[in-house]
């Protein structure tokens, strides 16, 4: 019990952090309205300014934790790069249809996958998460502001996204305990609900 | 303003310390050194030794050439692409042939040193202590990171290194997009 206490504290902290981030994020769709590219803080806060993005990133980590190795490390390594590729497409104004729908669907699908602790073949997992990463990255790329320290902005933005994955992975550690699967089900349901809500927002827009 | 901004910082402590500070306030340079340090560590102790031998010396050479030529070039595209490539290599944890690694490190050092050299004469009167400060900081950062990565056997830390590589690559890709948009 004593060995598990520090892990439990980390999980509880991650849970509180997730709730805080969800409260911090505005009710509107993901991604900033403005913000200075010259600021590391702006880049760091960029990914947490939309609840749909926050829950999808946490869900990627949660699902990775559910799947275990190698997905648990493959997803956090691959996701930022594919997301940046999407961002590049967005910055270059390459047309990509259904971006907002794709983002909302990512929360819904990932939430359901976490809820039922579904295991897919690794290639399919990678393709699915990669597709969602593309949508999220594209939306961010379109809205990335210009500025003096673009690389710093981009780096802090990517780090913030990566930390959201880490929060998800840490939360996923609850699966080790008897009550863990129930918590995962609840977390998945909340994420899926945010996805449904985002879809209605997209439909209403 | 370009993505790559290699202006020399004035610390008030003299050229050597200006050079040290320069590395830590220039994101492209710092990311390259960190990325190469991680990559060298992934290649094992020999990679770390090669990095320590080649990166500071080629950076110094490039810097000296840059100070003489003093062109007004930032080479932002090339530098950012190089940082992105290093990030991708770290993320994929590729074991490179030693010659390829050595040539890559040398070219990186020459290129980034050249760009550093371009900016230094105009702001400091070409005092080589600035360049010495940059190179000393590079050597310390490179050896600390590569040694730590080479020594680690824990799989979680090796994964963490790959994740950091993916972050560098992703930031580089986004910066390339921002460059294209400007």
């Amino acid at each position: 019990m004593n060995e598990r206490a520090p892990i439990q504290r980390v999980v509880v902290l991650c849970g509180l952090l997730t709730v805080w981030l969800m409260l911090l994020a505005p009710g509107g769709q993901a991604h900033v309205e403005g913000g200075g590219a010259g600021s590391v803080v702006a880049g760091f806060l960029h990914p947490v300014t939309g609840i749909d993005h926050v829950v999808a990133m946490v869900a990627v980590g949660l699902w990775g934790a559910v799947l275990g190795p190698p997905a648990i490390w493959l997803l956090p390594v691959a996701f930022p790069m594919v997301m940046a590729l999407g961002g590049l497409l967005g910055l270059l104004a390459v047309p990509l249809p259904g971006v907002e729908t794709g983002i909302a669907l990512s929360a819904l699908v990932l939430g359901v996958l976490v809820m039922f602790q579904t295991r897919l073949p690794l290639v399919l997992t990678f393709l699915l998460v990669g597709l969602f990463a593309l949508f999220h990255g594209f939306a961010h790329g379109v809205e990335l502001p210009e500025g003096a320290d673009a690389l710093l902005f981009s780096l802090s933005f990517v780090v913030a996204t990566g930390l959201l994955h880490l929060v998800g992975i840490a939360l996923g550690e609850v699966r080790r305990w008897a009550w863990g699967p129930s918590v995962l089900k609840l977390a998945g349901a909340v994420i899926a609900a945010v996805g449904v809500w985002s879809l209605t927002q997209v439909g209403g827009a | 303003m370009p993505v790559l901004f290699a202006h020399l910082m004035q610390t008030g402590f003299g050229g050597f310390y200006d050079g040290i500070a320069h590395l830590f306030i220039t994101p492209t340079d710092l990311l390259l050194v960190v990325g190469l340090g991680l990559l060298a560590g992934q290649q094992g102790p020999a990679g770390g030794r090669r990095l320590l031998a080649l990166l500071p010396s080629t950076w110094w050479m490039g810097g000296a050439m840059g100070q003489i030529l003093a062109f007004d070039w930032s080479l932002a595209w090339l530098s950012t692409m190089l940082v992105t490539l290093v990030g991708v290599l770290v993320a994929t944890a590729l074991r490179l042939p030693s010659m390829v690694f050595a040539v890559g490190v040398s070219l990186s050092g020459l290129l980034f040193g050249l760009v550093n050299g371009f900016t230094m004469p105009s702001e400091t009167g070409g005092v080589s202590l600035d360049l010495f400060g940059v190179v000393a900081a590079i050597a310390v950062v490179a050896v600390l990171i590569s040694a730590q990565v080479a020594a680690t056997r824990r799989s979680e830390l090796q994964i963490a290194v790959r994740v950091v590589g993916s972050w560098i690559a992703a930031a580089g890709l986004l910066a390339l997009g921002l460059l294209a948009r400007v």
Side-chain angles (χ1 to χ4, degrees), chain B residues 6-164:
Chain B
H7 306 296
L8 197 59
M9 185 189 183
Q10 302 293 328
T11 60
F13 294 110
F16 180 75
Y17 294 97
D18 292 351
I20 292 175
H22 171 80
L23 176 69
F24 293 100
I25 60 157
T26 314
T28 323
D29 291 14
L30 188 59
L31 276 184
L32 180 87
V33 176
V34 170
L36 283 175
L38 296 172
L39 186 64
Q42 286 176 328
Q43 314 300 310
R49 285 195 291 272
R50 279 191 194 96
L51 182 74
L52 185 59
L54 292 172
L55 188 63
S57 55
T58 52
W59 200 297
W60 182 284
M61 279 189 265
M65 274 194 284
Q67 282 183 317
I68 293 165
L69 297 172
F71 292 149
D72 186 21
W73 295 348
S74 73
L75 303 176
W77 274 93
L78 202 53
S79 311
T80 312
M81 277 196 277
L82 203 54
V83 169
T84 309
L85 177 66
V86 169
V88 170
L89 289 173
V90 174
T92 49
L94 271 185
R95 294 284 289 196
L96 298 171
S98 55
M99 187 54 75
V100 172
F101 177 73
V103 170
V105 167
S106 302
L107 289 178
S108 305
L110 277 174
L111 175 73
F112 277 68
L114 200 63
V115 176
N116 275 193
F118 290 158
T119 62
M120 288 184 179
S122 58
E123 297 191 37
T124 67
V127 180
S128 60
L129 269 181
D130 304 329
L131 197 54
F132 184 52
V134 173
V135 169
I138 288 165
V140 171
V141 172
V143 78
L144 282 177
I145 294 176
S146 59
Q148 188 60 50
V149 174
T152 189
R153 292 286 174 271
R154 292 177 62 185
S155 61
E156 312 93 72
L157 289 178
Q158 288 167 349
I159 292 163
V161 167
R162 296 182 65 175
V163 170
V164 172

Side-chain angles (χ1 to χ4, degrees), chain A:
Chain A
M1 183 188 152
N2 284 340
E3 283 177 9
R4 284 188 173 178
I7 301 172
Q8 282 176 332
R9 276 199 291 273
V10 169
V11 170
V12 169
L13 267 176
C14 286
L16 290 173
L17 182 63
T18 307
V19 171
W20 178 70
L21 288 174
M22 287 171 72
L23 292 174
L24 186 77
Q29 292 300 296
H31 323 302
V32 291
E33 298 122 17
S39 165
V40 173
V41 176
F44 198 77
L45 291 179
H46 189 106
V48 296
T49 50
I51 194 167
D52 47 357
H53 187 75
V54 171
V55 295
M57 296 306 100
V58 172
V60 168
L62 267 175
W63 195 34
V66 167
L67 295 172
I72 194 167
W73 58 261
L74 182 69
L75 296 183
V77 169
F79 193 97
M81 290 199 287
V82 182
M83 187 186 72
L85 190 64
L88 186 64
L89 296 178
L91 282 162
L92 298 176
V94 176
L96 184 68
V99 172
E100 289 302 333
T101 309
I103 291 170
L105 269 177
S106 70
L108 174 59
V109 173
L110 289 169
V112 169
L113 289 168
V114 170
M115 192 163 61
F116 294 109
Q117 296 177 45
T118 311
R119 290 175 176 275
L120 298 177
L122 191 60
V123 175
L124 196 57
T125 302
F126 178 76
L127 287 176
L128 189 65
V129 172
L131 182 68
F132 292 148
L134 209 59
F135 285 132
H136 282 271
F138 187 91
H140 285 307
V142 168
E143 295 166 8
L144 269 187
E146 294 169 16
D149 45 14
L151 191 59
L152 267 184
F153 179 92
S154 304
L155 186 66
S156 47
F157 160 76
V158 170
V159 168
T161 300
L163 290 178
L164 285 173
H165 293 157
L166 206 60
V167 166
I169 290 171
L171 281 176
E173 289 303 304
V174 297
R175 75 189 191 283
R176 295 173 190 275
W177 297 305
W179 43 271
S182 308
V183 173
L184 282 179
K185 273 192 170 55
L186 181 66
V190 170
I191 291 164
V194 172
V196 171
W197 174 80
S198 299
L199 272 176
T200 61
Q201 297 294 111
V202 173

